[in-house]
Amino acid sequence: MNSTSTQFVPSRRMGIHEPIHQMAMWGDFKGLDTSPSMILEVEAKLDNQSEDTSHGIVGPSNKYDQEASKPADKVLRRLAQNREAARKSRMRKKAYVQQLESSKLRLIQLEQELDRARRQGLPVGGALDNSQLGYSGTTNPGITTFEMEYGRWVDEQNRQISDLKNALHSDIGDVELRLFVDSGMRHYFDLFTMKATAARCDVFYLMSGMWKTAAERFFFWIGGFRPSELLKVLLPHLEPLSEQQRLDLCNLGQSCQQAEDALSQGMEKLHQILAETVAARLLGDENYYQQIGAAIEKLDALVRFVGQADHLRQETLQQISRILTTRQAARGLLALGTYFQRLRDLSSHWSTHPRESA
Amino acid sequence: MEKIVKLASENGILIMSKSSCCLCYAVQILFQDLGVHPLIYEIDHDPEGKEIEKALIRMGCSGPVPAVFIGGKLVGSTNEVMSLHLSGSLIPLITPYQALSNVK
């Protein structure tokens, strides 16, 4: 079957059974181009046919009106059945088209994941760790977009790290170096903006960390890296530091830890409240949907928490940048970028060298 | 709104909160960690809760809860409190109230 237009059986020839025939024809579309324009064209044709079906029957029935009531009853019944069949047929068509659309999205998602896996140098098509493929539990378009953008973000990040390394080994001045630092910082802030949008689409997905690699997930805290961890990683690589800088960084570390602890405890409370909401009145069956509704409201709080954690990450980065000189900040960004890169490399190495059982 | 102004001026550190709000709880924990005991006013237990909420939004509080007042002035919501703390500016603001709360 090469094109859809030649496959339509003219409606006039068929009687009541036409809507069911149309259903069979939709099965024929499996091998076809399912781009949106094609789907619309197909829809328009099917729609015309459904309308024609009922019109086709209404025409000839007029001549029955003058006869006795018994045949008229039959006619009316036939009309009603036909309308019902046509209606059901339209519903099935709608469901089928929706299925096609989500399959299309899923296809795009899979292609992106394969792309990303190939870029990471994995043997695509072999036995891959699920975490490398990313979380594909839903075909949420917002999440598909996020995964795509995140993939590009990582590529850009790798480029920036390489540029920064070259810049630091060359003898460029502070003014130029500042440009590298500023764009590096902005790049992290861009990620936080992307995450905020993704959190509104599917906060569980963001919290799961499935969009990151396995080793990064190990260090996860409310949707990303721990700000206090950030400082600990960077400190040894920022030397030499002045006494004032050392003091400022120490104070920053302490404030960061306190803010983190406060958010962690808030999260624990949220866990507790969500658990209580879901677990309330388990043995009564009427309020099931109310319970789910109440739980979903609590999920908005989770979105706020992720936003707050990212805000803490951003503030920490900004404060560090204020305390350091340009050159120190450049070294810090390089160290940080390399650290995350190593975690990603560790994950990909881990997944391509499966451990053998002892 | 007079109620808010009154509460804020009467209490060194005031946190307008909701009993179900976990972010409010987090801010509360932070202040306790810093050695102060703010007054937690739960607006969902106040019959005028809705008006208070609207007033807080009008005052520029993004939450609208938690809304933190120090020395009678609105400091902001969680974002502002966190930013202040990381920049080292929160502790100087609350120091006058650390001694007081110990006396209590």
mmCIF file of all heavy atoms in Angstrom, chain A residues 301-341:
data_model
loop_
_atom_site.group_PDB
_atom_site.id
_atom_site.type_symbol
_atom_site.label_atom_id
_atom_site.label_comp_id
_atom_site.label_asym_id
_atom_site.label_seq_id
_atom_site.Cartn_x
_atom_site.Cartn_y
_atom_site.Cartn_z
ATOM 1 N N ALA A 301 4.222 21.761 46.171
ATOM 2 C CA ALA A 301 5.250 22.109 47.161
ATOM 3 C C ALA A 301 6.595 21.548 46.718
ATOM 4 O O ALA A 301 7.634 22.185 46.901
ATOM 5 C CB ALA A 301 4.869 21.558 48.526
ATOM 6 N N LEU A 302 6.569 20.371 46.116
ATOM 7 C CA LEU A 302 7.804 19.745 45.668
ATOM 8 C C LEU A 302 8.466 20.594 44.589
ATOM 9 O O LEU A 302 9.689 20.766 44.578
ATOM 10 C CB LEU A 302 7.481 18.349 45.125
ATOM 11 C CG LEU A 302 8.639 17.372 45.027
ATOM 12 C CD1 LEU A 302 9.350 17.249 46.350
ATOM 13 C CD2 LEU A 302 8.115 15.998 44.604
ATOM 14 N N VAL A 303 7.648 21.158 43.698
ATOM 15 C CA VAL A 303 8.184 22.033 42.650
ATOM 16 C C VAL A 303 8.897 23.222 43.289
ATOM 17 O O VAL A 303 9.985 23.623 42.869
ATOM 18 C CB VAL A 303 7.066 22.516 41.702
ATOM 19 C CG1 VAL A 303 7.610 23.504 40.693
ATOM 20 C CG2 VAL A 303 6.430 21.337 40.984
ATOM 21 N N ARG A 304 8.283 23.776 44.342
ATOM 22 C CA ARG A 304 8.892 24.915 45.054
ATOM 23 C C ARG A 304 10.227 24.518 45.673
ATOM 24 O O ARG A 304 11.192 25.294 45.646
ATOM 25 C CB ARG A 304 7.963 25.432 46.142
ATOM 26 C CG ARG A 304 6.885 26.382 45.633
ATOM 27 C CD ARG A 304 6.115 27.011 46.772
ATOM 28 N NE ARG A 304 6.770 28.203 47.279
ATOM 29 C CZ ARG A 304 6.393 28.868 48.363
ATOM 30 N NH1 ARG A 304 5.370 28.444 49.080
ATOM 31 N NH2 ARG A 304 7.030 29.939 48.764
ATOM 32 N N PHE A 305 10.285 23.315 46.218
ATOM 33 C CA PHE A 305 11.521 22.866 46.854
ATOM 34 C C PHE A 305 12.653 22.736 45.854
ATOM 35 O O PHE A 305 13.787 23.135 46.122
ATOM 36 C CB PHE A 305 11.297 21.515 47.563
ATOM 37 C CG PHE A 305 11.040 21.682 49.020
ATOM 38 C CD1 PHE A 305 9.744 21.743 49.502
ATOM 39 C CD2 PHE A 305 12.079 21.815 49.919
ATOM 40 C CE1 PHE A 305 9.493 21.932 50.847
ATOM 41 C CE2 PHE A 305 11.838 21.996 51.267
ATOM 42 C CZ PHE A 305 10.544 22.058 51.739
ATOM 43 N N VAL A 306 12.348 22.136 44.709
ATOM 44 C CA VAL A 306 13.376 22.004 43.677
ATOM 45 C C VAL A 306 13.865 23.394 43.271
ATOM 46 O O VAL A 306 15.065 23.635 43.130
ATOM 47 C CB VAL A 306 12.837 21.227 42.459
ATOM 48 C CG1 VAL A 306 13.856 21.221 41.333
ATOM 49 C CG2 VAL A 306 12.497 19.804 42.836
ATOM 50 N N GLY A 307 12.914 24.311 43.129
ATOM 51 C CA GLY A 307 13.269 25.690 42.781
ATOM 52 C C GLY A 307 14.159 26.313 43.838
ATOM 53 O O GLY A 307 15.135 27.006 43.528
ATOM 54 N N GLN A 308 13.838 26.040 45.105
ATOM 55 C CA GLN A 308 14.613 26.590 46.202
ATOM 56 C C GLN A 308 16.017 26.005 46.235
ATOM 57 O O GLN A 308 16.999 26.725 46.494
ATOM 58 C CB GLN A 308 13.882 26.291 47.516
ATOM 59 C CG GLN A 308 14.009 27.370 48.552
ATOM 60 C CD GLN A 308 13.634 28.716 48.011
ATOM 61 O OE1 GLN A 308 12.488 28.960 47.681
ATOM 62 N NE2 GLN A 308 14.597 29.599 47.897
ATOM 63 N N ALA A 309 16.126 24.704 45.982
ATOM 64 C CA ALA A 309 17.440 24.050 45.962
ATOM 65 C C ALA A 309 18.297 24.632 44.836
ATOM 66 O O ALA A 309 19.483 24.913 45.022
ATOM 67 C CB ALA A 309 17.287 22.547 45.802
ATOM 68 N N ASP A 310 17.692 24.837 43.683
ATOM 69 C CA ASP A 310 18.441 25.426 42.561
ATOM 70 C C ASP A 310 18.842 26.857 42.876
ATOM 71 O O ASP A 310 19.930 27.309 42.508
ATOM 72 C CB ASP A 310 17.599 25.393 41.273
ATOM 73 C CG ASP A 310 17.728 24.072 40.534
ATOM 74 O OD1 ASP A 310 18.616 23.273 40.898
ATOM 75 O OD2 ASP A 310 16.942 23.830 39.592
ATOM 76 N N HIS A 311 17.972 27.579 43.568
ATOM 77 C CA HIS A 311 18.291 28.948 43.964
ATOM 78 C C HIS A 311 19.503 28.949 44.873
ATOM 79 O O HIS A 311 20.411 29.780 44.753
ATOM 80 C CB HIS A 311 17.084 29.574 44.668
ATOM 81 C CG HIS A 311 17.331 30.952 45.165
ATOM 82 N ND1 HIS A 311 17.534 31.237 46.501
ATOM 83 C CD2 HIS A 311 17.450 32.135 44.518
ATOM 84 C CE1 HIS A 311 17.745 32.536 46.641
ATOM 85 N NE2 HIS A 311 17.702 33.103 45.464
ATOM 86 N N LEU A 312 19.553 27.968 45.773
ATOM 87 C CA LEU A 312 20.696 27.843 46.681
ATOM 88 C C LEU A 312 21.973 27.559 45.898
ATOM 89 O O LEU A 312 23.037 28.123 46.183
ATOM 90 C CB LEU A 312 20.424 26.711 47.680
ATOM 91 C CG LEU A 312 21.313 26.677 48.914
ATOM 92 C CD1 LEU A 312 21.122 27.934 49.737
ATOM 93 C CD2 LEU A 312 20.969 25.460 49.766
ATOM 94 N N ARG A 313 21.862 26.698 44.886
ATOM 95 C CA ARG A 313 23.024 26.384 44.041
ATOM 96 C C ARG A 313 23.511 27.643 43.348
ATOM 97 O O ARG A 313 24.713 27.936 43.298
ATOM 98 C CB ARG A 313 22.659 25.326 43.008
ATOM 99 C CG ARG A 313 22.394 23.974 43.622
ATOM 100 C CD ARG A 313 21.900 22.942 42.627
ATOM 101 N NE ARG A 313 21.551 21.757 43.394
ATOM 102 C CZ ARG A 313 20.328 21.253 43.532
ATOM 103 N NH1 ARG A 313 19.307 21.799 42.898
ATOM 104 N NH2 ARG A 313 20.104 20.201 44.295
ATOM 105 N N GLN A 314 22.566 28.391 42.798
ATOM 106 C CA GLN A 314 22.911 29.603 42.061
ATOM 107 C C GLN A 314 23.563 30.641 42.972
ATOM 108 O O GLN A 314 24.598 31.221 42.636
ATOM 109 C CB GLN A 314 21.652 30.183 41.421
ATOM 110 C CG GLN A 314 21.923 31.396 40.551
ATOM 111 C CD GLN A 314 20.798 31.631 39.548
ATOM 112 O OE1 GLN A 314 20.175 30.692 39.053
ATOM 113 N NE2 GLN A 314 20.565 32.884 39.233
ATOM 114 N N GLU A 315 22.962 30.848 44.138
ATOM 115 C CA GLU A 315 23.507 31.819 45.098
ATOM 116 C C GLU A 315 24.900 31.425 45.543
ATOM 117 O O GLU A 315 25.790 32.268 45.671
ATOM 118 C CB GLU A 315 22.604 31.921 46.330
ATOM 119 C CG GLU A 315 21.372 32.765 46.133
ATOM 120 C CD GLU A 315 21.690 34.208 45.841
ATOM 121 O OE1 GLU A 315 22.441 34.832 46.618
ATOM 122 O OE2 GLU A 315 21.215 34.723 44.813
ATOM 123 N N THR A 316 25.107 30.130 45.782
ATOM 124 C CA THR A 316 26.421 29.656 46.209
ATOM 125 C C THR A 316 27.466 29.964 45.141
ATOM 126 O O THR A 316 28.542 30.497 45.439
ATOM 127 C CB THR A 316 26.390 28.142 46.498
ATOM 128 O OG1 THR A 316 25.369 27.884 47.451
ATOM 129 C CG2 THR A 316 27.715 27.646 47.043
ATOM 130 N N LEU A 317 27.119 29.645 43.888
ATOM 131 C CA LEU A 317 28.042 29.916 42.789
ATOM 132 C C LEU A 317 28.354 31.403 42.709
ATOM 133 O O LEU A 317 29.514 31.807 42.550
ATOM 134 C CB LEU A 317 27.448 29.439 41.462
ATOM 135 C CG LEU A 317 27.500 27.939 41.198
ATOM 136 C CD1 LEU A 317 26.658 27.593 39.985
ATOM 137 C CD2 LEU A 317 28.930 27.472 41.000
ATOM 138 N N GLN A 318 27.316 32.232 42.846
ATOM 139 C CA GLN A 318 27.531 33.676 42.750
ATOM 140 C C GLN A 318 28.394 34.204 43.877
ATOM 141 O O GLN A 318 29.281 35.042 43.658
ATOM 142 C CB GLN A 318 26.189 34.414 42.713
ATOM 143 C CG GLN A 318 25.616 34.458 41.319
ATOM 144 C CD GLN A 318 24.247 35.091 41.253
ATOM 145 O OE1 GLN A 318 23.455 34.987 42.179
ATOM 146 N NE2 GLN A 318 23.963 35.742 40.140
ATOM 147 N N GLN A 319 28.151 33.714 45.089
ATOM 148 C CA GLN A 319 28.953 34.162 46.231
ATOM 149 C C GLN A 319 30.412 33.764 46.066
ATOM 150 O O GLN A 319 31.322 34.556 46.340
ATOM 151 C CB GLN A 319 28.402 33.587 47.539
ATOM 152 C CG GLN A 319 27.117 34.233 48.006
ATOM 153 C CD GLN A 319 27.267 35.722 48.226
ATOM 154 O OE1 GLN A 319 28.306 36.193 48.696
ATOM 155 N NE2 GLN A 319 26.256 36.471 47.873
ATOM 156 N N ILE A 320 30.638 32.527 45.619
ATOM 157 C CA ILE A 320 32.012 32.070 45.394
ATOM 158 C C ILE A 320 32.688 33.005 44.394
ATOM 159 O O ILE A 320 33.823 33.463 44.596
ATOM 160 C CB ILE A 320 32.057 30.616 44.871
ATOM 161 C CG1 ILE A 320 31.524 29.654 45.917
ATOM 162 C CG2 ILE A 320 33.479 30.231 44.494
ATOM 163 C CD1 ILE A 320 31.454 28.222 45.441
ATOM 164 N N SER A 321 31.976 33.296 43.319
ATOM 165 C CA SER A 321 32.530 34.153 42.279
ATOM 166 C C SER A 321 32.851 35.546 42.814
ATOM 167 O O SER A 321 33.841 36.161 42.410
ATOM 168 C CB SER A 321 31.519 34.210 41.134
ATOM 169 O OG SER A 321 31.717 35.353 40.378
ATOM 170 N N ARG A 322 32.061 36.049 43.771
ATOM 171 C CA ARG A 322 32.312 37.384 44.340
ATOM 172 C C ARG A 322 33.547 37.386 45.227
ATOM 173 O O ARG A 322 34.270 38.370 45.320
ATOM 174 C CB ARG A 322 31.109 37.863 45.152
ATOM 175 C CG ARG A 322 30.079 38.542 44.289
ATOM 176 C CD ARG A 322 28.925 39.097 45.091
ATOM 177 N NE ARG A 322 27.724 39.045 44.272
ATOM 178 C CZ ARG A 322 26.553 38.580 44.655
ATOM 179 N NH1 ARG A 322 26.397 38.132 45.879
ATOM 180 N NH2 ARG A 322 25.537 38.557 43.830
ATOM 181 N N ILE A 323 33.777 36.259 45.926
ATOM 182 C CA ILE A 323 34.895 36.198 46.871
ATOM 183 C C ILE A 323 36.224 36.049 46.132
ATOM 184 O O ILE A 323 37.272 36.532 46.579
ATOM 185 C CB ILE A 323 34.693 35.014 47.854
ATOM 186 C CG1 ILE A 323 33.483 35.287 48.757
ATOM 187 C CG2 ILE A 323 35.934 34.769 48.707
ATOM 188 C CD1 ILE A 323 33.068 34.095 49.585
ATOM 189 N N LEU A 324 36.188 35.360 44.971
ATOM 190 C CA LEU A 324 37.430 35.039 44.280
ATOM 191 C C LEU A 324 37.851 36.102 43.271
ATOM 192 O O LEU A 324 37.034 36.860 42.772
ATOM 193 C CB LEU A 324 37.278 33.699 43.550
ATOM 194 C CG LEU A 324 36.958 32.471 44.414
ATOM 195 C CD1 LEU A 324 36.765 31.255 43.529
ATOM 196 C CD2 LEU A 324 38.053 32.222 45.425
ATOM 197 N N THR A 325 39.150 36.084 42.918
ATOM 198 C CA THR A 325 39.612 36.913 41.813
ATOM 199 C C THR A 325 39.181 36.232 40.520
ATOM 200 O O THR A 325 38.757 35.072 40.537
ATOM 201 C CB THR A 325 41.146 37.021 41.800
ATOM 202 O OG1 THR A 325 41.679 35.702 41.550
ATOM 203 C CG2 THR A 325 41.688 37.535 43.117
ATOM 204 N N THR A 326 39.334 36.948 39.401
ATOM 205 C CA THR A 326 38.925 36.394 38.119
ATOM 206 C C THR A 326 39.661 35.095 37.821
ATOM 207 O O THR A 326 39.057 34.097 37.404
ATOM 208 C CB THR A 326 39.187 37.404 36.984
ATOM 209 O OG1 THR A 326 38.500 38.608 37.284
ATOM 210 C CG2 THR A 326 38.707 36.857 35.659
ATOM 211 N N ARG A 327 40.960 35.118 38.048
ATOM 212 C CA ARG A 327 41.753 33.939 37.721
ATOM 213 C C ARG A 327 41.364 32.752 38.601
ATOM 214 O O ARG A 327 41.260 31.616 38.138
ATOM 215 C CB ARG A 327 43.253 34.245 37.869
ATOM 216 C CG ARG A 327 44.161 33.236 37.158
ATOM 217 C CD ARG A 327 45.448 33.880 36.678
ATOM 218 N NE ARG A 327 45.232 34.752 35.544
ATOM 219 C CZ ARG A 327 45.390 34.377 34.268
ATOM 220 N NH1 ARG A 327 45.767 33.157 33.973
ATOM 221 N NH2 ARG A 327 45.154 35.246 33.294
ATOM 222 N N GLN A 328 41.151 33.051 39.895
ATOM 223 C CA GLN A 328 40.741 31.977 40.801
ATOM 224 C C GLN A 328 39.376 31.421 40.388
ATOM 225 O O GLN A 328 39.140 30.215 40.414
ATOM 226 C CB GLN A 328 40.651 32.489 42.251
ATOM 227 C CG GLN A 328 41.987 32.708 42.904
ATOM 228 C CD GLN A 328 41.860 33.493 44.201
ATOM 229 O OE1 GLN A 328 40.972 34.336 44.342
ATOM 230 N NE2 GLN A 328 42.742 33.225 45.141
ATOM 231 N N ALA A 329 38.478 32.317 39.996
ATOM 232 C CA ALA A 329 37.139 31.903 39.588
ATOM 233 C C ALA A 329 37.216 31.027 38.338
ATOM 234 O O ALA A 329 36.504 30.030 38.211
ATOM 235 C CB ALA A 329 36.252 33.114 39.316
ATOM 236 N N ALA A 330 38.118 31.388 37.417
ATOM 237 C CA ALA A 330 38.285 30.600 36.199
ATOM 238 C C ALA A 330 38.774 29.200 36.551
ATOM 239 O O ALA A 330 38.272 28.193 36.031
ATOM 240 C CB ALA A 330 39.263 31.286 35.252
ATOM 241 N N ARG A 331 39.755 29.137 37.463
ATOM 242 C CA ARG A 331 40.264 27.824 37.897
ATOM 243 C C ARG A 331 39.155 27.035 38.577
ATOM 244 O O ARG A 331 39.022 25.832 38.382
ATOM 245 C CB ARG A 331 41.460 27.991 38.839
ATOM 246 C CG ARG A 331 42.724 28.453 38.156
ATOM 247 C CD ARG A 331 43.959 27.857 38.791
ATOM 248 N NE ARG A 331 44.045 28.076 40.230
ATOM 249 C CZ ARG A 331 44.549 29.168 40.795
ATOM 250 N NH1 ARG A 331 45.025 30.131 40.052
ATOM 251 N NH2 ARG A 331 44.562 29.284 42.105
ATOM 252 N N GLY A 332 38.355 27.750 39.386
ATOM 253 C CA GLY A 332 37.249 27.097 40.082
ATOM 254 C C GLY A 332 36.254 26.501 39.111
ATOM 255 O O GLY A 332 35.809 25.362 39.261
ATOM 256 N N LEU A 333 35.895 27.266 38.077
ATOM 257 C CA LEU A 333 34.939 26.766 37.090
ATOM 258 C C LEU A 333 35.495 25.569 36.345
ATOM 259 O O LEU A 333 34.784 24.605 36.056
ATOM 260 C CB LEU A 333 34.582 27.863 36.091
ATOM 261 C CG LEU A 333 33.452 28.777 36.492
ATOM 262 C CD1 LEU A 333 33.297 29.895 35.476
ATOM 263 C CD2 LEU A 333 32.146 28.009 36.614
ATOM 264 N N LEU A 334 36.787 25.633 36.030
ATOM 265 C CA LEU A 334 37.422 24.515 35.335
ATOM 266 C C LEU A 334 37.398 23.275 36.218
ATOM 267 O O LEU A 334 37.049 22.183 35.772
ATOM 268 C CB LEU A 334 38.866 24.876 34.964
ATOM 269 C CG LEU A 334 39.653 23.768 34.243
ATOM 270 C CD1 LEU A 334 38.961 23.374 32.950
ATOM 271 C CD2 LEU A 334 41.087 24.216 33.959
ATOM 272 N N ALA A 335 37.741 23.465 37.488
ATOM 273 C CA ALA A 335 37.752 22.338 38.422
ATOM 274 C C ALA A 335 36.357 21.728 38.542
ATOM 275 O O ALA A 335 36.177 20.509 38.473
ATOM 276 C CB ALA A 335 38.248 22.788 39.798
ATOM 277 N N LEU A 336 35.348 22.593 38.688
ATOM 278 C CA LEU A 336 33.975 22.120 38.846
ATOM 279 C C LEU A 336 33.509 21.366 37.611
ATOM 280 O O LEU A 336 32.972 20.263 37.692
ATOM 281 C CB LEU A 336 33.059 23.314 39.105
ATOM 282 C CG LEU A 336 31.634 22.964 39.499
ATOM 283 C CD1 LEU A 336 31.624 22.222 40.818
ATOM 284 C CD2 LEU A 336 30.785 24.214 39.600
ATOM 285 N N GLY A 337 33.752 21.979 36.444
ATOM 286 C CA GLY A 337 33.332 21.346 35.197
ATOM 287 C C GLY A 337 34.010 20.004 35.001
ATOM 288 O O GLY A 337 33.370 19.028 34.590
ATOM 289 N N THR A 338 35.303 19.956 35.324
ATOM 290 C CA THR A 338 36.049 18.703 35.166
ATOM 291 C C THR A 338 35.526 17.646 36.127
ATOM 292 O O THR A 338 35.420 16.461 35.783
ATOM 293 C CB THR A 338 37.548 18.935 35.417
ATOM 294 O OG1 THR A 338 37.967 20.058 34.638
ATOM 295 C CG2 THR A 338 38.366 17.719 35.019
ATOM 296 N N TYR A 339 35.184 18.075 37.327
ATOM 297 C CA TYR A 339 34.642 17.155 38.332
ATOM 298 C C TYR A 339 33.373 16.478 37.817
ATOM 299 O O TYR A 339 33.249 15.248 37.864
ATOM 300 C CB TYR A 339 34.361 17.942 39.617
ATOM 301 C CG TYR A 339 33.624 17.170 40.691
ATOM 302 C CD1 TYR A 339 34.228 16.126 41.387
ATOM 303 C CD2 TYR A 339 32.311 17.502 41.024
ATOM 304 C CE1 TYR A 339 33.544 15.427 42.370
ATOM 305 C CE2 TYR A 339 31.627 16.810 42.003
ATOM 306 C CZ TYR A 339 32.239 15.774 42.683
ATOM 307 O OH TYR A 339 31.549 15.096 43.647
ATOM 308 N N PHE A 340 32.423 17.268 37.299
ATOM 309 C CA PHE A 340 31.184 16.689 36.796
ATOM 310 C C PHE A 340 31.435 15.832 35.563
ATOM 311 O O PHE A 340 30.807 14.791 35.365
ATOM 312 C CB PHE A 340 30.154 17.784 36.481
ATOM 313 C CG PHE A 340 29.576 18.431 37.702
ATOM 314 C CD1 PHE A 340 29.566 19.809 37.837
ATOM 315 C CD2 PHE A 340 29.037 17.667 38.732
ATOM 316 C CE1 PHE A 340 29.041 20.413 38.976
ATOM 317 C CE2 PHE A 340 28.508 18.252 39.872
ATOM 318 C CZ PHE A 340 28.516 19.631 39.994
ATOM 319 N N GLN A 341 32.369 16.272 34.763
ATOM 320 C CA GLN A 341 32.716 15.501 33.569
ATOM 321 C C GLN A 341 33.248 14.127 33.970
ATOM 322 O O GLN A 341 32.911 13.110 33.368
ATOM 323 C CB GLN A 341 33.783 16.272 32.794
ATOM 324 C CG GLN A 341 33.817 16.022 31.310
ATOM 325 C CD GLN A 341 34.841 16.945 30.650
ATOM 326 O OE1 GLN A 341 35.949 17.111 31.157
ATOM 327 N NE2 GLN A 341 34.479 17.516 29.523
#
